Amino acid sequence: MNPRALAEILAGAAADAVAVPQLSIEHHLSLADAYAVQRLVVDARRRPRTGVKLGLTSRAKALQMGVSDVILGELTEDMAIEDGGSLDPARFIHPRVEPEVAFLLRDGEVKGVAPALEIIDSRYQDFRFNLVDVVADNTSAAAYVLGPWQRADQDIGNRGVVMEIDGRVVETGSTAAILGHPQRATEAAARLARTIALPMPGEMVLLAGAATAAVTLKPGVVVEARISTLGRVGFTYIF
Ligand code: 0L1
Ligand code: MG
C-alpha cells in the first residue's frame, strides 16, 4: 500500500468531480492505513482545517455497513457554505444531503450548537464502498452549511428534525438518531482523534452525524432543515 498514490487518486477524483473504483478492490488497507490515506487526501486540498465530522452515527447506517464504531473525517475551509448560500453542481459527483447538529468547540469545550446540513459526495463509482474505502475518502465529506449558533447549554436530545426540498418534506427524524443523543458526538470525536493521533484545531466545528437518511441532490433545488428549538439552515443547489 502506497498511501501517497492512493491519496492522489482520491484527491484527483474530488478535484475533477469524477468517480473512481473502490480502492479496496485492488489494495489491502487496514483501518489505520485508511486514516493515513485520509490525512493525505485532506492535506491535498491545501486549505485550512475547520473541524471534524462523524459518520455512521445512526444505528441504521452502522448496521448497513456492519460496523460497531463511528468514523471520523475532516472539514476544510473550502467545504463551508454560507447559510442561505449556493452550491455549484460542477464541484460534485453525485451529492446527497443530510440534516445534522453542529457543535462549536473551543479547546474541547462546547461553546455553541447549530442546525447544519452536510453534503456528502462519495468519490467512488455508484456511491459504493466498504469501511476502509469510505474512511480513506474522508468519510464522503464534501460541503457543509451551518445555521445560526445557539447557546451551548440547551437540551438538544430527541429534538424533531425536518428536511425539506423545494418546500416539500423529504425526511423527518429526531436528533436521538445521532448516537442516541448528539452530545455523545463530542466524546466520540475526541476519542477517535486521539486514536488516530489527529491534532484538533483550538476552535473548530464538529458535525455530529445525520439525524435522517441522506437525500440525493438534483440541480436547481432549495434545501432547508429545521430542528426543533435550534432553528433552521438552508442552501440552494444551483443549475
Ligand atoms: O456523514 C456520514 O454519515 C457519511 C459517512 C460515510 C457513509 C456515506 O457516505 O453514506
Ligand atoms: Mg454526515
Side-chain angles (χ1 to χ4, degrees), residues 134-214:
V134 72
V135 166
D137 185 26
N138 196 22
T139 67
S140 308
Y144 64 96
V145 193
L146 303 176
W149 290 113
Q150 310 291 332
R151 288 165 50 131
D153 58 357
Q154 58 187 291
D155 182 7
I156 50 169
N158 194 16
R159 294 284 160 205
V161 178
V162 177
M163 185 162 69
E164 290 181 359
I165 293 194
D166 288 339
R168 288 174 203 278
V169 174
V170 289
E171 288 291 336
T172 57
S174 162
T175 56
I178 306 165
L179 295 172
H181 193 302
Q183 202 76 43
R184 296 202 177 111
T186 57
E187 191 278 324
R191 174 177 55 77
L192 270 175
R194 275 196 304 276
T195 306
I196 62 171
L198 178 72
M200 301 273 242
E203 178 164 307
M204 56 176 267
V205 171
L206 165 62
L207 289 184
T212 75

Side-chain angles (χ1 to χ4, degrees), residues 2-203:
N2 176 345
R4 269 183 206 287
L6 300 188
E8 260 174 42
I9 294 170
L10 288 171
D16 301 342
V18 175
V20 293
Q22 284 175 249
L23 296 184
S24 63
I25 293 172
E26 285 204 8
H27 305 272
H28 174 79
L29 281 100
S30 66
L31 191 57
D33 293 336
Y35 275 111
V37 173
Q38 180 192 113
R39 190 80 63 93
L40 294 167
V41 165
V42 178
D43 286 347
R45 294 184 83 95
R46 297 181 186 282
R47 299 301 284 264
R49 286 156 154 95
T50 50
V52 299
K53 59 159 281 190
L54 293 182
L56 311 182
T57 46
S58 78
R59 201 171 146 66
K61 264 201 194 182
L63 283 175
Q64 197 186 351
M65 298 286 292
V67 296
S68 56
D69 199 5
V70 296
I71 55 176
L72 181 142
E74 290 197 76
L75 305 173
T76 54
E77 200 179 62
D78 52 319
M79 295 182 194
I81 308 299
E82 196 188 345
D83 187 16
S86 302
L87 239 72
D88 182 354
R91 281 178 55 184
F92 305 98
I93 303 168
H94 37 203
R96 300 175 182 177
V97 61
E98 52 192 27
E100 304 219 357
V101 170
F103 292 98
L104 176 64
L105 300 177
R106 206 168 289 135
D107 298 325
E109 239 182 82
V110 179
K111 295 294 182 188
V113 286
L117 285 161
E118 184 187 16
I119 294 86
I120 52 175
D121 190 26
S122 174
R123 269 56 67 161
Y124 298 115
Q125 289 162 355
D126 305 321
F127 232 103
R128 287 170 69 90
F129 43 73
N130 65 19
L131 182 67
V132 291
D133 287 320
V134 72
V135 166
D137 185 26
N138 196 22
T139 67
S140 308
Y144 64 96
V145 193
L146 303 176
W149 290 113
Q150 310 291 332
R151 288 165 50 131
D153 58 357
Q154 58 187 291
D155 182 7
I156 50 169
N158 194 16
R159 294 284 160 205
V161 178
V162 177
M163 185 162 69
E164 290 181 359
I165 293 194
D166 288 339
R168 288 174 203 278
V169 174
V170 289
E171 288 291 336
T172 57
S174 162
T175 56
I178 306 165
L179 295 172
H181 193 302
Q183 202 76 43
R184 296 202 177 111
T186 57
E187 191 278 324
R191 174 177 55 77
L192 270 175
R194 275 196 304 276
T195 306
I196 62 171
L198 178 72
M200 301 273 242
E203 178 164 307

